[in-house]
Each structure stands twice: as structure tokens, then as C-alpha cells.
Amino acid sequence: MTNRHFVHYDMTHRPQVFQPALASAEDMTLFHSDEYVEFLRLVTPENQHEHIRQLKRFNVAEDCPVFDGLFKFCQVYTGGSVGGAVRLNHGLSDTVINWSGGLHHAKKAEASGFCYINDIVLCILELLKVHQRVLYIDIDIHHGDGVEEAFYTTDRVMTVSFHKFGEYFPGTGHLQDVGQHAGKYYSVNVPLKDGIDDSSYEQLYKPIMAKVMQVFQPEAIVFQSGADSLSGDRLGCFNLSIRGHAECLKYMQTFNVPMIVLGGGGYTIRNVARCWAYETGCLLNADMEDALPINDYSEYFGPTHQLHIQTSNMENQNTVEYLQGVRNRILEHLGQLQAVPSVPYHHAPPVNTQLDTSQRVQPGLATDQSQKRMTREVEFDPEQAQDERSPKCDKPVDNDNELPSSTSLAYSRDDKQVTESFTLPGHARMSEELPNSAR
């Protein structure tokens, strides 16, 4: 649906279109355990009754069910995110989009919240081969727990999550969860209450992100643009407009740092498509009329057939005093960081040199050709802070998302390139320890 909007808004003349290589099982074990990945590779709806113990062990049940093509699904969206990181590493693009990625809840050996393989962690690990510091931003309504946990003890990755907190899945992301050891104050959590609107969100977002950019000075950004923080989401409780949601992404563009933009949650599908189509246009600096062009999915967008949505009159429980308190505490934490982290001389992992891992295709179309990507070796084995809080996920699976198969789009915007990967929606095993900063 997002892709149809993109095509019918006549933005296809801007991109180079690529189909990223599928992520292999070996690629996935750069973060996930061998046993977990092998289980995902082998389990099917027909044989799952033979793996009752593993289903429980790996939390593959209820909100993370077994379905036909599960492992291929993981290969596709993970390949898009890691392939985008490869393009940034080689300077082929300044901005990459993979709306099918952003599955931020998956753990080393556990599925969670309809997230099986954590493409974000694998994407960041690829970026760390070239970039000293990577910033992760998450505006999904749910806390980005899987990504935070993976990098909780390192200062080379800063994670910033804006999320609903309090009797809400996954139950993590307290204001005082700031990281441990070398990673202390490199985990930033912004807990929000029901009904937050554009104005209140911006009062927190821009001052916090300005301070983050000042003290951390990332060389690359990974932006998770979950659309369940929009007003009217079936599982959400925020009141953001599409423009307000997109403003977060547009603000990060002003820093001119290479960026990968990923999808995430979103359970009112027509609004997810609206949001991601609009944000694609924002990244291209394209003008988009509010009247949606007619396409194969037009019936989903009635009766208004408009790009933008009306926010509701729900109460904003985030008072001025509460917002000021959260902002001041986070700025105080960030003020504890005295110097920009750097990396001492060390043996660097091999960078993926197979530049043509993607098959160029026509916008909106997929090819059947697949290509192998070179095995990536990553130096990272952080001490993982195991979070004992593991409330069960209550997110149902929405099977109505009809995005096309994996294709990647690269756009020219002024003197920059923007790459887009359209694919199916949606503690680390490394050889050595990732070096922390040398101050």
C-alpha cells in the first residue's frame, strides 16, 4: 500500500531501485544464537507440534506465531536493513529507507512482539565496522527494548526511545534506565503518557535530540519510524498527526548525518501507508497533494481519500510540569557525558566489499534473482544486562499489510542520495569485544 502511494504520487523518476540480498542464517548469528536461528529456519506450521519445548524456550507463540515462509520473511526484511548499512558504509547513499524493517523487540534467543530477527541490531553492527558512533532513535509507541538491551553496556551506540510507559508492552524503558558500565548515560528513555499531541511531543523531542547530537556527535543514524504512535492506531494511545510524526524525521535530516530509516509498528494499516508514503516524500523533498491519487487500494482510504488524518479530541495526560520534569532529567543525564566517545586503534572487522549485492529493478517491482552477500564478521560481545521484566506481549498480528516483495529504491535529492528498500512488512555472539571509547 505504501509502495502504491509512492508510485501514484509519481515519485518513481527519482529513485534507483534495488533488491537487497537475502540475509543468511550465518548473518543472523552475528547477533542471535545459533540454536534460535536454526529453529526459525526449520520450524513450519506442519512440524511445530514436534518442537513444543523450543516454541516455549524461544517464545514463538501467540503474538509471535509460526507461519508459512517465516524464515524467508526474516531474510527479506533483515537483508534490506543490513544492505542499507552496506550502502552507507561505502558512501553510495546518504539516506536509506527500509519500511519493512524496524523489528525492535527481538532478543538474542527470543521472539517478542511479532519480532523474530532484530534487523536493527544487525544493521547497527554493520555500521560500526566503519562508523565510530551510531545513534539509534525510536518513535514507535512501544519501547525499543531489544535494541537497547543489545547495546546497554557500550558507548559506541546511543539508543533514544520515545514511548508509552506504564502498564504497556513491553514494560521497559523507565526514565532511570540509562545504561551500565561504559554505556552509562548512553541509553536514553523518554516515557510518555496517553494522548500526547504534536506540540507536546515536539517540546521534548527537539531539545533532547539537539543535546544528543551535541554530546554524542554520531557518524550514522538509524531511525525507527513506527507508525503506531499516530492518532487512531488500533493498539496505540498517542494523538500524533502524520505531519507531527514526520517532523521528527525531518528534524534529524537537518544535521546532515548519514541515516537509515526503518519501519516498525502500526496497526491501522491505511494510516501506516499514509504516514510512510508522506515521510518518503519528505525525505525526497517532494510536494504531495492531500488528495490521494487513485490506486489499487483506494477503497481502504475512504471516505476522505486524503493523505493526512484528523487527530482526536482525547485528553493529553502529559502535563506541562510532567514534560518539563522528563526533559530536565534527560538533559541532566546527557550533561554527564563529558567527551565524545572515540575508538582506540584495534583490529577492524572486514567490511562488506561486495557492492553489487542488490539487483537494480524498476520502481515498485521485484525480481526473482538473488545474490549472495559476503559473510560479515563483527567484533562485539557486550556484557548483556538481562532485563527480568518480561510481560507478555498483547500485540496481535495484522495480516492485512500488503507491501510488495523486497525492492530497494535509491533517490537523488540535491547532491545526496536516498535509498529505499521496500520489503515485506512487519546478547550478541561475536568473535571479539567491541572496543569502547578512548577518552
Side-chain angles (χ1 to χ4, degrees):
M1 293 170 73
T2 300
N3 186 53
R4 289 295 91 193
H5 286 324
F6 165 78
V7 170
H8 285 83
Y9 267 111
D10 195 26
M11 293 187 283
T12 57
H13 63 284
R14 301 170 183 261
Q16 298 171 329
V17 184
F18 294 92
Q19 176 172 315
L22 297 179
S24 68
E26 189 170 0
D27 294 334
M28 297 173 187
T29 58
L30 294 174
F31 171 63
H32 295 283
S33 70
D34 294 345
E35 297 82 2
Y36 175 59
V37 173
E38 183 67 4
F39 169 75
L40 292 179
R41 189 178 72 84
L42 296 177
V43 71
T44 66
E46 291 72 29
N47 68 19
Q48 62 178 319
H49 65 278
E50 303 171 5
H51 304 281
I52 301 301
R53 291 183 62 185
Q54 290 96 327
L55 288 170
K56 292 182 178 179
R57 174 186 175 189
F58 300 129
N59 195 37
V60 179
E62 298 182 1
D63 64 310
C64 298
V66 177
F67 57 89
D68 286 326
L70 169 59
F71 191 68
K72 181 66 173 293
F73 166 76
C74 296
Q75 287 184 294
V76 171
Y77 75 76
T78 302
S81 298
V82 176
V86 172
R87 292 189 65 86
L88 259 64
N89 282 350
H90 289 283
L92 299 177
S93 303
D94 290 324
T95 303
V96 176
I97 309 172
N98 176 24
W99 289 128
S100 72
L103 279 73
H104 57 173
H105 294 306
K107 311 298 194 305
K108 174 184 177 180
E110 180 181 322
S112 178
F114 200 57
C115 302
Y116 300 86
I117 294 296
N118 199 315
D119 62 296
I120 305 171
V121 171
L122 293 169
C123 172
I124 292 173
L125 290 173
E126 184 69 31
L127 290 171
L128 288 171
K129 295 178 181 179
V130 171
H131 302 89
Q132 294 188 67
R133 296 173 302 281
V134 176
L135 171 63
Y136 172 67
I137 306 169
D138 191 320
I139 63 170
D140 192 292
I141 196 171
H142 300 94
H143 177 234
D145 57 333
V147 184
E148 177 183 279
E149 181 178 293
F151 300 107
Y152 205 63
T153 61
T154 180
D155 58 1
R156 289 191 60 193
V157 179
M158 179 175 283
T159 61
V160 185
S161 178
F162 296 78
H163 52 268
K164 157 74 174 173
F165 184 78
E167 297 184 357
Y168 200 73
F169 178 83
T172 53
H174 191 280
L175 183 63
Q176 296 299 330
D177 294 340
V178 296
Q180 291 182 352
H181 307 303
K184 189 172 184 180
Y185 299 125
Y186 288 90
S187 292
V188 179
N189 285 297
V190 188
L192 302 170
K193 300 181 181 181
D194 292 7
I196 191 164
D197 56 23
D198 294 354
S199 175
S200 297
Y201 205 94
E202 185 174 339
Q203 289 177 38
L204 282 177
Y205 185 86
K206 290 188 175 179
I208 289 171
M209 295 316 305
K211 185 66 173 180
V212 164
M213 296 301 289
Q214 174 191 343
V215 300
F216 188 59
Q217 297 181 25
E219 295 182 354
I221 297 172
V222 178
F223 190 101
Q224 201 266 21
S225 190
D228 46 10
S229 47
L230 290 174
S231 179
D233 188 82
R234 286 164 55 189
L235 295 184
C237 51
F238 285 176
N239 199 22
L240 297 181
S241 70
I242 289 175
R243 287 189 179 89
H245 193 274
E247 184 62 28
C248 299
L249 183 56
K250 291 166 67 176
Y251 182 68
M252 298 316 299
Q253 275 191 293
T254 65
F255 294 96
N256 296 315
V257 175
M259 180 163 57
I260 296 180
V261 181
L262 305 175
Y267 305 94
T268 301
I269 300 301
R270 60 185 180 275
N271 291 345
V272 176
R274 284 176 162 119
C275 180
W276 290 348
Y278 178 70
E279 291 179 347
T280 300
C282 291
L283 291 169
L284 296 173
N285 198 26
D287 293 326
M288 301 175 68
E289 294 183 1
D290 192 35
L292 289 170
I294 296 175
N295 62 58
D296 299 340
Y297 298 101
S298 291
E299 61 185 280
Y300 287 86
F301 302 96
T304 65
H305 296 283
Q306 293 178 332
L307 176 62
H308 293 281
I309 61 174
Q310 291 293 325
T311 56
S312 75
N313 61 353
M314 67 185 301
E315 178 189 1
N316 183 357
Q317 297 181 15
N318 300 269
T319 64
V320 173
E321 294 75 21
Y322 177 77
L323 295 174
Q324 288 177 343
V326 170
R327 182 182 60 202
N328 292 342
R329 181 61 61 87
I330 291 173
L331 294 179
E332 178 184 327
H333 290 164
L334 293 171
Q336 301 296 315
L337 304 177
Q338 299 300 320
V340 176
S342 60
V343 181
Y345 179 80
H346 66 287
H347 176 69
V351 177
N352 193 326
T353 57
Q354 188 173 345
L355 300 181
D356 266 344
T357 58
S358 320
Q359 178 67 37
R360 185 175 296 192
V361 296
Q362 292 299 317
L365 301 178
T367 70
D368 294 328
Q369 301 178 6
S370 62
Q371 301 182 26
K372 295 181 180 179
R373 185 170 58 245
M374 295 177 64
T375 301
R376 294 177 300 279
E377 299 176 6
V378 181
E379 302 178 5
F380 181 64
D381 189 11
E383 300 176 60
Q384 296 301 332
Q386 294 287 350
D387 197 330
E388 297 180 355
R389 295 170 292 179
S390 302
K392 296 185 70 63
C393 175
D394 56 4
K395 287 199 292 188
V397 178
D398 195 320
N399 294 321
D400 297 329
N401 200 335
E402 303 185 46
L403 295 179
S405 297
S406 170
T407 56
S408 173
L409 308 176
Y411 310 92
S412 294
R413 177 171 55 81
D414 300 328
D415 59 339
K416 297 186 177 182
Q417 272 197 330
V418 180
T419 302
E420 179 161 3
S421 300
F422 277 119
T423 57
L424 294 174
H427 309 327
R429 182 193 69 82
M430 320 284 173
S431 56
E432 297 180 23
E433 183 174 333
L434 185 81
N436 285 312
S437 71
R439 297 186 184 278

